[in-house]
Amino acid sequence: MDIDLLEYYGVDWLIFIFTLLQLWLLGEKKRSAWIAGGVIAIAAGVLGWMIGSFALVLMNIVFLFFDIWNYVKWK
């Protein structure tokens, strides 16, 4: 089994790190969690494009919309 940690140029690692960050920020009730979510959505959309998954790209466009929407609505 050959493991390539940078097979997707680190995009998957970026998603991993920002998901942990977003969960922590949400737990702390920080509005910036939605910015982290936007980074995740963009990176996951790029990853979807790289692997040829239209569903993953479309899903993350929707997630990005919700991240922006929730950032604006967060009080």
Side-chain angles (χ1 to χ4, degrees), residues 16-34:
F16 170 66
I17 292 166
F18 272 85
T19 300
L20 293 177
L21 177 63
Q22 183 188 35
L23 291 172
W24 181 76
L25 289 169
L26 284 171
E28 296 294 316
K29 299 180 180 178
K30 303 284 186 185
R31 185 178 186 201
S32 56
W34 302 112

Side-chain angles (χ1 to χ4, degrees), residues 34 38 62-74:
W34 302 112
V62 172
F63 285 171
L64 181 59
F65 169 77
F66 280 116
D67 286 323
I68 293 167
W69 180 262
N70 287 319
Y71 180 84
V72 170
K73 291 190 67 165
W74 189 274

Side-chain angles (χ1 to χ4, degrees), residues 35-50:
I35 295 172
V39 172
I40 295 165
I42 292 167
V46 168
L47 182 63
W49 186 268
M50 292 169 72

